[in-house]
Amino acid sequence: MTITSPHLGSSEAWTDARLLFALEEVVEKELNRHLKVAKDWMPHEYVPFSDGRNFPGFFEDGQAWESEQSKVTDIGKIALVVNLLTEDNLPSYHHEIASLFGRDGAWGTWVHRWTAEEGRHGIVMRDYLLTSRAVDPDKLEQFRMAHMAEGFESDNRHSMLHSVAYVAFQELATRVSHRNTGHQSGDPVCDRMLARIATDENLHMVFYRNLLGAAFEMAPDLTMQSVRDVVVNFRMPGHGMPGFERAAAQMAIGEIYNMRIHHDDVLQPVLRFLKVLEIDGLGPDGLKAQEELGLYMGGLDSEASKFDAKLAARKERMAARAAL
């Protein structure tokens, strides 16, 4: 690589085009590593098709959906719908990253490979939900249409570095959400399926996390600013779906994804692995961003502790009511 000095990394020196070129070798290395460790899997092998029945419509023997037909817990159903609708927006995500990273060379190969792997997740989740009758199929399709018709624009589409920083955290957030949904679903089949999806998401996180680490070596100040911006303004990609705020609140109470999980299991692991708050030799802008990031993480931890206390009190009240 011809661009290695971090002090070439002033705001004026680095453009998206130069960073894309400078990181190409890292992308190729990480792509080759990913292809060696990633395992192909068949979505249909994780779906209990023998449990399936026809729905009303064109089939005379169709059986209407009823909530009692599934063993999945209520919180599991809510989280499954949120997770699937998030996966459904894959065409928009592909457009976003292909526009930023390009369709040629190692970047393009990664973009298409990532899209193909992510496509499995929507396939297997929808097949599972319909076969197991975990959710109302009509409402699920209505939600999908409404969500996708709104389109998707990333908060970080203005900057390649912001986008790399975002997906490093977001892929881990998705893994955690899938894994916790499986644990809370009440169905071992669902748990196994989501564990398989979570394995993919973790490998995607590792790819982007390592790429982010390389960006810190090349352009530490700009990368630090990007990480600060992403962490402080982080939103999950499904935030625009119908009923997202209510569903997110229920998932927080159900301990699938909340502030404590976001702080401890998503933000901290990436920041700690890359030693982001320990990086020295930063310029004024990078140092300011690092300090602001540290302050934000401290504040988020305090807010998460308040949430923990409220959640514990809620559990105590519910236990007391159940004992009456």
Side-chain angles (χ1 to χ4, degrees):
M1 299 171 67
T2 57
I3 303 174
T4 57
S5 171
H7 299 293
L8 240 180
S10 68
S11 298
E12 295 77 18
W14 287 110
T15 63
D16 275 4
R18 292 193 74 182
L19 280 165
L20 284 166
F21 176 77
L23 288 168
E24 179 90 22
E25 288 184 16
V26 180
V27 172
E28 183 175 5
K29 175 187 173 184
E30 289 301 316
L31 172 63
N32 290 333
R33 181 199 54 76
H34 177 84
L35 294 175
K36 286 180 180 178
V37 298
K39 297 187 185 334
D40 278 341
W41 55 280
M42 304 299 133
H44 55 268
E45 294 179 355
Y46 288 80
V47 179
F49 285 107
S50 61
D51 293 346
R53 286 156 284 173
N54 291 335
F55 288 101
F58 291 104
F59 298 101
E60 294 182 0
D61 64 343
Q63 183 179 359
W65 176 84
E66 297 178 5
S67 60
E68 297 78 14
Q69 293 167 345
S70 171
K71 65 182 75 171
V72 175
T73 61
D74 289 341
I75 188 59
K77 294 174 181 178
I78 292 167
L80 279 164
V81 170
V82 170
N83 291 350
L84 175 56
L85 291 181
T86 301
E87 300 286 358
D88 275 335
N89 247 348
L90 182 60
S92 289
Y93 308 149
H94 174 85
H95 173 75
E96 290 273 348
I97 66 171
S99 297
L100 276 167
F101 300 155
R103 294 175 171 82
D104 300 319
W107 281 105
T109 302
W110 166 254
V111 166
H112 297 311
R113 173 73 190 199
W114 174 87
T115 302
E117 291 184 2
E118 288 286 345
R120 289 186 179 129
H121 304 168
I123 291 170
V124 71
M125 290 178 68
R126 175 166 281 100
D127 285 350
Y128 168 80
L129 288 176
L130 296 179
T131 302
S132 67
R133 293 184 170 237
V135 299
D136 184 334
D138 292 345
K139 286 186 178 179
L140 182 64
E141 178 60 10
Q142 290 162 5
F143 285 157
R144 186 191 71 84
M145 287 293 294
H147 185 39
M148 294 192 70
E150 283 293 316
F152 172 81
E153 287 190 342
S154 169
D155 295 333
N156 303 288
R157 61 190 180 279
H158 63 286
S159 159
M160 188 276 285
L161 268 183
H162 282 74
S163 296
V164 170
Y166 176 75
V167 289
F169 295 107
Q170 185 269 324
E171 293 283 4
L172 183 52
T174 304
R175 176 182 79 85
V176 169
S177 180
H178 282 311
R179 203 68 191 95
N180 289 342
T181 299
H183 291 328
Q184 302 277 14
S185 69
D187 181 7
V189 174
C190 181
D191 191 24
R192 184 174 65 235
M193 172 192 67
L194 292 176
R196 177 58 260 189
I197 293 174
T199 299
D200 281 0
E201 303 289 9
N202 195 64
L203 291 177
H204 298 164
M205 178 276 294
V206 170
F207 178 95
Y208 288 118
R209 183 198 64 193
N210 292 351
L211 191 58
L212 186 62
F216 265 115
E217 293 180 5
M218 294 178 184
D221 288 339
L222 281 179
T223 305
M224 186 66 73
Q225 292 173 76
S226 298
V227 169
R228 174 205 56 197
D229 294 345
V230 164
V231 169
V232 170
N233 299 298
F234 186 88
R235 296 194 297 175
M236 290 295 275
H239 59 80
M241 69 180 60
F244 178 78
E245 291 185 2
R246 176 175 173 77
Q250 292 170 309
M251 290 168 67
I253 293 171
E255 297 182 88
I256 287 176
Y257 201 95
N258 55 39
M259 274 193 291
R260 173 54 62 199
I261 293 170
H262 183 61
H263 177 278
D264 290 0
D265 301 337
V266 176
L267 298 181
Q268 283 284 31
V270 175
L271 296 175
R272 191 163 47 238
F273 182 88
L274 296 177
K275 299 180 179 179
V276 173
L277 296 178
E278 301 170 28
I279 293 174
D280 55 17
L282 296 166
D285 291 339
L287 185 59
K288 180 175 182 288
Q290 186 183 50
E291 292 173 347
E292 290 174 347
L293 177 61
L295 288 171
Y296 176 81
M297 290 299 295
L300 181 62
D301 188 34
S302 296
E303 289 301 311
S305 295
K306 294 176 184 177
F307 175 84
D308 292 341
K310 291 179 181 178
L311 187 59
R314 183 178 186 277
K315 288 180 179 179
E316 289 180 6
R317 290 194 301 270
M318 292 181 68
R321 289 172 190 163
L324 294 178

